[in-house]
Amino acid sequence: MDQFKLKVGVAPAYQITRKNFEEQTLKKTPYVQKERNRISNYAVCPKCDNPIQIVGLQKNTSEAGRKPYGRHNKGSIANLATYSEIDYQDCPFSNPNWKKSNGKRPAGSPLANKMLATMRSEFDIIIKIMRQKTDLGISRNLARKMLENYMLDEGWLYRQATLNNLPWILGESSPAIPLFGQFIKRESGLSQAIHTNCEQVVLEASPLTDNYVQIRNKPGKFINLSFIFYNHHQEIINDGMQESIDFLVFGKNQEHVDVEIFRKTIPITENDLIVAIQKYGTNFRDESLLEIAKEIID
């Protein structure tokens, strides 16, 4: 792997370089330890929250010229991270031939429990990220519906779920959701696609904000528009994870066949959630969304 964290849970990930490691850890324990006449460097895996050892930080590794990298440490590191075999087995960096798999983690996964707790404590920020990336003005009722689907489908146990991609696992765990009555961002690619391709739809001005319009039906017309999140792609390339998910809006044409109205591939980068938490985590909290998360998850 080519990135590390300083602690378990939602935390920034850094590229593995000597400068980054020494600057972030200040070469203190538990990150730097003397063991059997050698110095070992430790950190936390950004994907599975297990401890990792940083290899080749001071010199090139035995693989000629290979840059420093992280590998899992099959044991706990005191005051840093507790080793979980369950989460190691599902980690994309657990073996060089890893392929994205479906299915669910065992219920005893420490990482899964952290993800559920984070969904509860940061639900409003997770919804804010989804609004910003999709131009869909997710209402409180829609947010509630999506969280109920997440709980029904045990989204926190998805094998592809991580602490960082929580917004998109929330979306992925829902079946198709109707767009009738929903708000979308004015002058966005989404609103333009619907305006151009859906003759039965009118985009009405929102009484609450100039930034959004509401999807309504024209008199005598019936709206058949829905959206899904799907095609969650994860791939290891050059020791790093490439990740994305598709946001798709579709509806029926005159022949009653489902056709694509709008599609957006959303890149998922390692620090999306922590950056949003740092930006909004103290101020701008939506207490009504946090109450919904508390009610449903508790």
Side-chain angles (χ1 to χ4, degrees):
M1 72 190 73
D2 63 354
Q3 294 185 323
F4 70 95
K5 296 194 303 186
L6 297 179
K7 62 180 182 178
V8 299
V10 181
Y14 304 94
Q15 201 72 19
I16 295 178
T17 65
R18 180 174 179 178
K19 178 179 182 295
N20 283 348
F21 183 82
E22 293 182 347
E23 194 171 72
Q24 296 301 323
T25 67
L26 299 176
K27 303 172 70 173
K28 299 188 299 184
T29 56
Y31 308 105
V32 180
Q33 300 186 25
K34 183 177 180 180
E35 299 172 336
R36 297 182 182 179
N37 300 317
R38 69 187 178 108
I39 302 297
S40 296
N41 301 298
Y42 296 103
V44 177
C45 175
K47 297 301 183 187
C48 72
D49 263 12
N50 272 312
I52 61 173
Q53 187 170 8
I54 309 298
V55 179
L57 200 63
Q58 306 300 331
K59 58 183 178 181
N60 287 346
T61 60
S62 57
E63 302 96 326
R66 180 171 180 176
K67 63 183 180 180
Y69 66 96
R71 69 182 179 199
H72 288 97
N73 189 77
K74 299 285 288 273
S76 301
I77 300 297
N79 302 315
L80 181 60
T82 301
Y83 178 74
S84 164
E85 179 69 17
I86 291 174
D87 294 323
Y88 167 75
Q89 292 295 336
D90 284 323
C91 182
F93 297 115
S94 60
N95 72 75
N97 299 314
W98 178 88
K99 298 291 184 182
K100 177 178 176 288
S101 61
N102 296 318
K104 294 183 179 179
R105 291 182 168 93
S109 160
L111 179 60
N113 292 332
K114 290 175 196 169
M115 288 189 285
L116 188 58
T118 303
M119 182 65 74
R120 182 188 183 282
S121 64
E122 312 299 338
F123 184 59
D124 59 328
I125 294 176
I126 287 167
I127 294 298
K128 184 181 287 287
I129 291 172
M130 298 183 78
R131 288 169 176 161
Q132 291 173 342
K133 297 288 188 178
T134 64
D135 293 324
L136 181 61
I138 300 172
S139 66
R140 292 178 178 86
N141 286 338
L142 178 54
R144 172 185 287 275
K145 179 186 297 185
M146 295 177 73
L147 185 56
E148 288 172 344
N149 291 334
Y150 176 85
M151 297 300 293
L152 283 172
D153 205 38
E154 299 179 315
W156 66 97
L157 296 180
Y158 280 20
R159 292 190 184 278
Q160 67 268 33
T162 67
L163 283 162
N164 186 65
N165 66 23
L166 284 175
W168 313 115
I169 298 297
L170 176 64
E172 189 178 7
S173 59
S174 281
I177 296 177
L179 268 174
F180 174 76
Q182 300 297 330
F183 292 89
I184 58 176
K185 194 168 185 181
R186 183 190 296 272
E187 303 301 329
S188 64
L190 175 59
S191 66
Q192 290 172 7
I194 291 175
H195 176 73
T196 301
N197 298 306
C198 302
E199 58 88 21
Q200 74 273 39
V201 171
V202 61
L203 301 178
E204 294 184 348
S206 167
L208 302 176
T209 173
D210 291 335
N211 295 329
Y212 285 87
V213 290
Q214 189 175 24
I215 299 174
R216 309 296 295 183
N217 60 292
K218 290 181 179 177
K221 301 288 185 178
F222 174 72
I223 294 177
N224 196 326
L225 279 179
S226 300
F227 72 90
I228 58 171
F229 293 91
Y230 84 117
N231 191 31
H232 187 177
H233 177 76
Q234 293 175 310
E235 185 178 5
I236 301 297
I237 300 176
N238 297 327
D239 292 332
M241 169 74 85
Q242 300 292 316
E243 186 172 12
S244 64
I245 195 167
D246 285 355
F247 170 59
L248 175 69
V249 174
F250 62 95
K252 291 190 183 298
N253 62 14
Q254 292 180 348
E255 289 75 37
H256 302 287
V257 176
D258 286 321
V259 294
E260 178 180 315
I261 303 299
F262 176 81
R263 180 195 299 268
K264 181 179 183 181
T265 297
I266 300 170
I268 305 170
T269 58
E270 189 62 59
N271 286 328
D272 287 345
L273 183 55
I274 185 61
V275 168
I277 289 173
Q278 290 172 340
K279 184 175 182 179
Y280 304 111
T282 303
N283 303 312
F284 311 110
R285 301 308 296 261
D286 188 328
E287 294 298 332
S288 62
L289 286 176
L290 292 175
E291 282 299 315
I292 289 172
K294 179 181 178 182
E295 173 193 340
I296 293 174
I297 295 177
D298 284 354

